[in-house]
Amino acid sequence: MLQHSLLVGVAPQITRRVGYNALVLSSVRLSASRSFSSCARRYNHLNDRQATAAAVGPHKNDTSSPSLAVAATNHGGDVSHQNPAHHGDWVLFHPVYTPEELKAVEVLHREATCFSDKLAANLVKISRWGYDLVSGYKHKVIPPGADMTLQQLRKEGYVLDEKQWLERILFLESIAGVPGMVAATLRHLQSLRLMRRDNGWIHTCLEEAENERMHLMTFMTLRNPSIFFRAMILGAQGVFYNMFFLSYLISPRACHRFVGYLEEEAVLTYTKCIKEVEAGRVPEWSDMPAPQIAIDYWRLEPNAKLLDVIYAVRSDETTHRFVNHSLANLDVKTDVNPFALQEPDMHIKGKKIAFERPEAEQYFKETRHILQKISAES
């Protein structure tokens, strides 16, 4: 079970969520007599009727909801917590990070322990190898004590220039936006087909898909890709979408694990990019102003730099890494999404690879308790 420190990390986040930061509190008061047992369905606080009701809430613009009235009070009357000075076409939740959270990310890896996990991890490795081969990228370590100019380092393939970095980022983000949409689509159709609620999974999957799309839209402001590059993305997306679609029908758990490993690679890529920019090896980006779309989306300072954007994108990828590895640890058929109510902050997501199932249950219980307390005090 999680320690008290988790609860402390959760509390400040309750009032910082951009979307539905306090789901229907009247639902969480529903009583349920079912407790944790060792039966085949493994009922606990992630799949009892009380959890199911709590994971489905009102639209964020429904100011008549008591829970959202609390949110509006905490945010000065602004339910969505969006400053009027900001604008954009996104409508789903996405985190806004403090400077401390942006620096709290660690490069982590989850060891594969079963056949499906090993298959997912190896598929990610094969995918990366294939793209590196097609793009001509070779990861070469700069020799110790090498006295080479930046031009020489780039010519020898030790570092990437800004064009090469953009190609890798644009390709990565165009593919990374697929899994969340596929998962949300299939779970949405399943909910309609079976005529029952989805227990909060659809929203998180959609949020991930839109978040990845916003990464792509942000970096697209820096470069207009060639016809060949667009054709390569078109082909890759067509193959990947259909393969992931069929795979999710067979094993949703393995697919979430695959995405978790894919996001591990994304965190690694952006971490290296940050180090290269800070070391002065991508001087074109050192003082480049952040695109306006990024300033609006991540609520950055007006004078923010592109490096600040890359830090924010890396934090997003860390969130996806944590969420997908955690979802892969759950029972995808019966468990409520523990992040439907709230996500932990980056001091947890950035330093912990995932919640195991008992930890996810404890986190959901603690989050629900906080929301109940807010409702009682309002």
Side-chain angles (χ1 to χ4, degrees):
M1 292 299 178
L2 300 183
Q3 302 299 320
H4 176 69
S5 58
L6 174 61
L7 185 58
V8 175
V10 171
Q13 295 296 306
I14 294 296
T15 58
R16 290 178 48 222
R17 186 157 185 171
V18 177
Y20 45 90
N21 61 336
L23 291 183
V24 57
L25 296 176
S26 57
S27 296
V28 300
R29 297 194 189 99
L30 294 177
S31 59
S33 57
R34 187 175 293 135
S35 59
F36 184 86
S37 68
S38 58
C39 65
R41 290 178 65 86
R42 296 188 301 166
Y43 283 114
N44 64 6
H45 287 279
L46 290 175
N47 54 36
D48 61 19
R49 278 181 287 180
Q50 186 176 2
T52 300
V56 182
H59 190 274
K60 68 178 183 179
N61 289 328
D62 183 10
T63 54
S64 63
S65 166
S67 61
L68 294 179
V70 175
T73 300
N74 292 334
H75 297 304
D78 185 3
V79 174
S80 64
H81 194 29
Q82 295 187 17
N83 190 308
H86 298 297
H87 50 82
D89 62 350
W90 53 87
V91 295
L92 300 178
F93 155 71
H94 62 276
V96 175
Y97 308 103
T98 65
E100 294 75 21
E101 287 181 297
L102 293 175
K103 302 297 178 66
V105 173
E106 296 180 4
V107 175
L108 303 174
H109 174 65
R110 184 187 187 279
E111 293 296 330
T113 56
C114 62
F115 173 76
S116 62
D117 289 0
K118 292 178 181 178
L119 178 62
N122 287 326
L123 284 175
V124 171
K125 290 180 181 179
I126 293 173
S127 299
R128 172 152 190 169
W129 173 82
Y131 178 61
D132 288 347
L133 180 66
V134 171
S135 62
Y137 172 76
K138 295 181 180 179
H139 180 65
K140 299 173 65 176
V141 180
I142 301 177
D147 186 15
M148 305 172 68
T149 64
L150 178 60
Q151 288 71 24
Q152 290 174 326
L153 289 172
R154 288 178 171 179
K155 184 178 180 180
E156 296 296 326
Y158 289 110
V159 299
L160 302 179
D161 59 27
E162 81 285 0
K163 180 180 178 181
Q164 292 171 315
W165 271 117
L166 268 178
E167 286 181 348
R168 294 190 69 79
I169 291 172
L170 290 174
F171 189 87
L172 171 66
E173 297 299 349
S174 67
I175 299 301
V178 171
M181 183 58 67
V182 172
T185 298
L186 288 175
R187 297 191 71 92
H188 172 75
L189 293 176
Q190 181 186 57
S191 178
L192 297 177
R193 186 170 61 252
L194 300 180
M195 301 181 185
R196 69 186 186 196
R197 289 177 170 177
D198 180 68
N199 297 336
W201 288 60
I202 294 174
H203 297 81
T204 295
C205 293
L206 284 175
E207 289 161 4
E208 177 184 311
E210 185 187 60
N211 183 249
E212 297 287 9
R213 182 177 65 86
M214 291 305 299
H215 294 175
L216 179 65
M217 295 299 102
T218 295
F219 287 104
M220 281 287 292
T221 62
L222 304 180
R223 182 190 175 197
N224 187 20
S226 65
I227 297 297
F228 174 77
F229 188 82
R230 291 174 182 269
M232 185 170 64
I233 288 179
L234 178 64
Q237 187 183 84
V239 172
F240 181 60
Y241 184 97
N242 288 285
M243 290 183 63
F244 195 84
F245 185 95
L246 294 175
S247 299
Y248 203 90
L249 288 173
I250 298 171
S251 178
R253 177 189 174 279
C255 287
H256 283 291
R257 186 70 73 203
F258 172 85
V259 177
Y261 285 125
L262 185 66
E263 299 297 352
E264 288 183 15
E265 293 293 331
V267 173
L268 181 63
T269 295
Y270 283 113
T271 298
K272 183 178 180 181
C273 183
I274 289 171
K275 290 181 179 179
E276 294 289 278
V277 175
E278 291 182 334
R281 299 193 183 105
V282 193
E284 298 86 354
W285 288 359
S286 296
D287 293 317
M288 180 178 289
Q292 187 60 46
I293 187 175
I295 294 176
D296 292 337
Y297 187 68
W298 285 285
R299 311 297 189 261
L300 301 176
E301 296 296 328
N303 60 346
K305 303 297 183 182
L306 182 61
L307 182 60
D308 300 316
V309 176
I310 300 174
Y311 266 107
V313 172
R314 185 183 68 164
S315 295
D316 285 344
E317 306 294 4
T318 304
T319 295
H320 304 325
R321 178 188 70 183
F322 176 86
V323 168
N324 279 280
H325 273 315
S326 298
L327 293 180
N329 292 334
L330 304 181
D331 187 329
V332 297
K333 294 182 179 180
T334 63
D335 285 351
V336 160
N337 169 21
F339 311 115
L341 300 177
Q342 187 67 38
E343 289 180 5
D345 66 17
M346 196 53 60
H347 296 291
I348 296 174
K349 294 183 292 188
K351 300 179 182 299
K352 187 178 180 65
I353 195 68
F355 280 161
E356 296 300 325
R357 192 168 186 262
E359 293 176 315
E361 177 188 5
Q362 181 67 15
Y363 174 79
F364 186 82
K365 289 167 57 180
E366 291 174 348
T367 305
R368 189 168 59 184
H369 173 72
I370 293 175
L371 295 178
Q372 288 175 327
K373 185 177 180 181
I374 293 175
S375 177
E377 294 175 352
S378 60

